[in-house]
mmCIF file of all heavy atoms in Angstrom:
data_model
loop_
_atom_site.group_PDB
_atom_site.id
_atom_site.type_symbol
_atom_site.label_atom_id
_atom_site.label_comp_id
_atom_site.label_asym_id
_atom_site.label_seq_id
_atom_site.Cartn_x
_atom_site.Cartn_y
_atom_site.Cartn_z
ATOM 1 N N GLY A 14 101.753 101.313 112.412
ATOM 2 C CA GLY A 14 100.580 100.633 112.922
ATOM 3 C C GLY A 14 100.918 99.855 114.185
ATOM 4 O O GLY A 14 102.077 99.829 114.629
ATOM 5 N N PRO A 15 99.941 99.187 114.775
ATOM 6 C CA PRO A 15 100.178 98.427 116.002
ATOM 7 C C PRO A 15 101.085 97.220 115.759
ATOM 8 O O PRO A 15 101.063 96.616 114.686
ATOM 9 C CB PRO A 15 98.773 97.975 116.423
ATOM 10 C CG PRO A 15 97.832 98.873 115.681
ATOM 11 C CD PRO A 15 98.511 99.216 114.408
ATOM 12 N N VAL A 16 101.872 96.892 116.765
ATOM 13 C CA VAL A 16 102.692 95.679 116.753
ATOM 14 C C VAL A 16 102.227 94.775 117.887
ATOM 15 O O VAL A 16 102.111 95.223 119.035
ATOM 16 C CB VAL A 16 104.189 96.006 116.906
ATOM 17 C CG1 VAL A 16 105.006 94.735 117.090
ATOM 18 C CG2 VAL A 16 104.692 96.781 115.695
ATOM 19 N N ALA A 17 101.924 93.518 117.556
ATOM 20 C CA ALA A 17 101.516 92.541 118.564
ATOM 21 C C ALA A 17 102.754 91.975 119.240
ATOM 22 O O ALA A 17 103.707 91.572 118.573
ATOM 23 C CB ALA A 17 100.715 91.426 117.921
ATOM 24 N N SER A 18 102.749 91.952 120.561
ATOM 25 C CA SER A 18 103.898 91.518 121.352
ATOM 26 C C SER A 18 103.492 90.344 122.236
ATOM 27 O O SER A 18 102.584 90.459 123.056
ATOM 28 C CB SER A 18 104.402 92.677 122.225
ATOM 29 O OG SER A 18 105.451 92.268 123.060
ATOM 30 N N GLY A 19 104.190 89.214 122.056
ATOM 31 C CA GLY A 19 103.890 88.053 122.884
ATOM 32 C C GLY A 19 104.987 87.015 122.763
ATOM 33 O O GLY A 19 105.666 86.936 121.742
ATOM 34 N N ASP A 20 105.171 86.223 123.803
ATOM 35 C CA ASP A 20 106.222 85.207 123.800
ATOM 36 C C ASP A 20 105.754 83.980 123.019
ATOM 37 O O ASP A 20 105.465 82.918 123.590
ATOM 38 C CB ASP A 20 106.595 84.823 125.233
ATOM 39 C CG ASP A 20 107.341 85.943 125.948
ATOM 40 O OD1 ASP A 20 107.890 86.823 125.256
ATOM 41 O OD2 ASP A 20 107.383 85.941 127.178
ATOM 42 N N GLU A 21 105.697 84.146 121.717
ATOM 43 C CA GLU A 21 105.167 83.098 120.847
ATOM 44 C C GLU A 21 105.716 83.293 119.442
ATOM 45 O O GLU A 21 105.654 84.400 118.899
ATOM 46 C CB GLU A 21 103.633 83.177 120.824
ATOM 47 C CG GLU A 21 102.987 82.306 119.784
ATOM 48 C CD GLU A 21 101.491 82.584 119.616
ATOM 49 O OE1 GLU A 21 100.968 83.493 120.293
ATOM 50 O OE2 GLU A 21 100.871 81.891 118.794
ATOM 51 N N ASP A 22 106.248 82.245 118.860
ATOM 52 C CA ASP A 22 106.607 82.280 117.447
ATOM 53 C C ASP A 22 105.343 82.068 116.621
ATOM 54 O O ASP A 22 104.744 80.986 116.672
ATOM 55 C CB ASP A 22 107.627 81.187 117.121
ATOM 56 C CG ASP A 22 109.049 81.588 117.461
ATOM 57 O OD1 ASP A 22 109.334 82.802 117.440
ATOM 58 O OD2 ASP A 22 109.867 80.700 117.737
ATOM 59 N N VAL A 23 104.932 83.081 115.902
ATOM 60 C CA VAL A 23 103.784 82.951 115.004
ATOM 61 C C VAL A 23 104.323 82.505 113.656
ATOM 62 O O VAL A 23 104.917 83.285 112.913
ATOM 63 C CB VAL A 23 103.013 84.280 114.891
ATOM 64 C CG1 VAL A 23 101.851 84.145 113.917
ATOM 65 C CG2 VAL A 23 102.499 84.704 116.268
ATOM 66 N N MET A 24 104.135 81.228 113.343
ATOM 67 C CA MET A 24 104.737 80.632 112.151
ATOM 68 C C MET A 24 103.752 79.715 111.430
ATOM 69 O O MET A 24 104.118 78.665 110.913
ATOM 70 C CB MET A 24 105.999 79.845 112.528
ATOM 71 C CG MET A 24 107.103 80.686 113.143
ATOM 72 S SD MET A 24 108.650 79.768 113.356
ATOM 73 C CE MET A 24 108.113 78.475 114.476
ATOM 74 N N ALA A 25 102.491 80.116 111.413
ATOM 75 C CA ALA A 25 101.475 79.338 110.708
ATOM 76 C C ALA A 25 100.383 80.284 110.234
ATOM 77 O O ALA A 25 100.025 81.237 110.933
ATOM 78 C CB ALA A 25 100.885 78.262 111.621
ATOM 79 N N ASP A 26 99.876 80.020 109.048
ATOM 80 C CA ASP A 26 98.871 80.913 108.469
ATOM 81 C C ASP A 26 97.648 81.056 109.373
ATOM 82 O O ASP A 26 97.117 82.156 109.545
ATOM 83 C CB ASP A 26 98.434 80.392 107.092
ATOM 84 C CG ASP A 26 99.523 80.544 106.047
ATOM 85 O OD1 ASP A 26 100.041 81.661 105.893
ATOM 86 O OD2 ASP A 26 99.855 79.539 105.390
ATOM 87 N N LYS A 27 97.214 79.951 109.970
ATOM 88 C CA LYS A 27 96.034 80.007 110.829
ATOM 89 C C LYS A 27 96.259 80.911 112.023
ATOM 90 O O LYS A 27 95.414 81.754 112.361
ATOM 91 C CB LYS A 27 95.662 78.597 111.295
ATOM 92 C CG LYS A 27 94.431 78.571 112.195
ATOM 93 C CD LYS A 27 94.115 77.150 112.647
ATOM 94 C CE LYS A 27 92.910 77.148 113.583
ATOM 95 N NZ LYS A 27 92.600 75.760 114.057
ATOM 96 N N ARG A 28 97.399 80.758 112.691
ATOM 97 C CA ARG A 28 97.686 81.582 113.870
ATOM 98 C C ARG A 28 97.912 83.028 113.483
ATOM 99 O O ARG A 28 97.506 83.941 114.225
ATOM 100 C CB ARG A 28 98.917 81.015 114.595
ATOM 101 C CG ARG A 28 99.259 81.763 115.871
ATOM 102 C CD ARG A 28 98.123 81.755 116.858
ATOM 103 N NE ARG A 28 98.464 82.476 118.073
ATOM 104 C CZ ARG A 28 97.586 83.168 118.795
ATOM 105 N NH1 ARG A 28 96.313 83.228 118.419
ATOM 106 N NH2 ARG A 28 97.975 83.798 119.878
ATOM 107 N N LYS A 29 98.525 83.261 112.344
ATOM 108 C CA LYS A 29 98.722 84.623 111.850
ATOM 109 C C LYS A 29 97.389 85.344 111.709
ATOM 110 O O LYS A 29 97.239 86.496 112.133
ATOM 111 C CB LYS A 29 99.446 84.570 110.506
ATOM 112 C CG LYS A 29 99.558 85.896 109.791
ATOM 113 C CD LYS A 29 100.250 85.720 108.449
ATOM 114 C CE LYS A 29 100.324 87.032 107.681
ATOM 115 N NZ LYS A 29 101.068 86.870 106.403
ATOM 116 N N ILE A 30 96.420 84.681 111.129
ATOM 117 C CA ILE A 30 95.095 85.287 110.940
ATOM 118 C C ILE A 30 94.445 85.569 112.288
ATOM 119 O O ILE A 30 93.816 86.617 112.486
ATOM 120 C CB ILE A 30 94.212 84.358 110.084
ATOM 121 C CG1 ILE A 30 94.752 84.295 108.647
ATOM 122 C CG2 ILE A 30 92.762 84.842 110.079
ATOM 123 C CD1 ILE A 30 94.126 83.215 107.796
ATOM 124 N N GLU A 31 94.610 84.648 113.244
ATOM 125 C CA GLU A 31 94.022 84.834 114.575
ATOM 126 C C GLU A 31 94.608 86.061 115.271
ATOM 127 O O GLU A 31 93.860 86.877 115.839
ATOM 128 C CB GLU A 31 94.266 83.588 115.430
ATOM 129 C CG GLU A 31 93.493 82.372 115.002
ATOM 130 C CD GLU A 31 93.895 81.119 115.767
ATOM 131 O OE1 GLU A 31 94.940 81.155 116.474
ATOM 132 O OE2 GLU A 31 93.182 80.107 115.660
ATOM 133 N N VAL A 32 95.941 86.190 115.247
ATOM 134 C CA VAL A 32 96.587 87.319 115.926
ATOM 135 C C VAL A 32 96.203 88.636 115.256
ATOM 136 O O VAL A 32 95.927 89.641 115.936
ATOM 137 C CB VAL A 32 98.123 87.144 115.939
ATOM 138 C CG1 VAL A 32 98.801 88.393 116.477
ATOM 139 C CG2 VAL A 32 98.497 85.926 116.781
ATOM 140 N N LYS A 33 96.166 88.655 113.943
ATOM 141 C CA LYS A 33 95.786 89.862 113.222
ATOM 142 C C LYS A 33 94.351 90.277 113.567
ATOM 143 O O LYS A 33 94.066 91.457 113.817
ATOM 144 C CB LYS A 33 95.930 89.635 111.722
ATOM 145 C CG LYS A 33 95.644 90.866 110.886
ATOM 146 C CD LYS A 33 95.901 90.601 109.412
ATOM 147 C CE LYS A 33 95.639 91.841 108.567
ATOM 148 N NZ LYS A 33 95.921 91.591 107.135
ATOM 149 N N LYS A 34 93.446 89.311 113.610
ATOM 150 C CA LYS A 34 92.041 89.606 113.938
ATOM 151 C C LYS A 34 91.907 90.051 115.391
ATOM 152 O O LYS A 34 91.147 90.968 115.713
ATOM 153 C CB LYS A 34 91.185 88.365 113.679
ATOM 154 C CG LYS A 34 89.705 88.575 113.954
ATOM 155 C CD LYS A 34 88.912 87.322 113.626
ATOM 156 C CE LYS A 34 87.428 87.526 113.906
ATOM 157 N NZ LYS A 34 86.638 86.291 113.599
ATOM 158 N N GLN A 35 92.658 89.433 116.267
ATOM 159 C CA GLN A 35 92.590 89.714 117.698
ATOM 160 C C GLN A 35 93.100 91.111 118.038
ATOM 161 O O GLN A 35 92.553 91.795 118.909
ATOM 162 C CB GLN A 35 93.418 88.662 118.443
ATOM 163 C CG GLN A 35 93.532 88.851 119.940
ATOM 164 C CD GLN A 35 94.554 87.896 120.540
ATOM 165 O OE1 GLN A 35 95.370 87.293 119.824
ATOM 166 N NE2 GLN A 35 94.521 87.742 121.844
ATOM 167 N N THR A 36 94.149 91.555 117.354
ATOM 168 C CA THR A 36 94.844 92.780 117.748
ATOM 169 C C THR A 36 94.720 93.931 116.750
ATOM 170 O O THR A 36 94.919 95.089 117.126
ATOM 171 C CB THR A 36 96.346 92.501 117.933
ATOM 172 O OG1 THR A 36 96.902 92.078 116.668
ATOM 173 C CG2 THR A 36 96.577 91.421 118.973
ATOM 174 N N GLY A 37 94.500 93.622 115.486
ATOM 175 C CA GLY A 37 94.561 94.653 114.449
ATOM 176 C C GLY A 37 95.981 95.079 114.141
ATOM 177 O O GLY A 37 96.204 96.111 113.487
ATOM 178 N N ALA A 38 96.963 94.284 114.582
ATOM 179 C CA ALA A 38 98.367 94.638 114.391
ATOM 180 C C ALA A 38 98.808 94.407 112.957
ATOM 181 O O ALA A 38 98.203 93.626 112.213
ATOM 182 C CB ALA A 38 99.252 93.827 115.340
#
């Protein structure tokens, strides 16, 4: 599946949900 790539440590449930919704990764 898709992998989201960005210079950011995703280490919080809220941000995890945002990135998943934004990218479908």
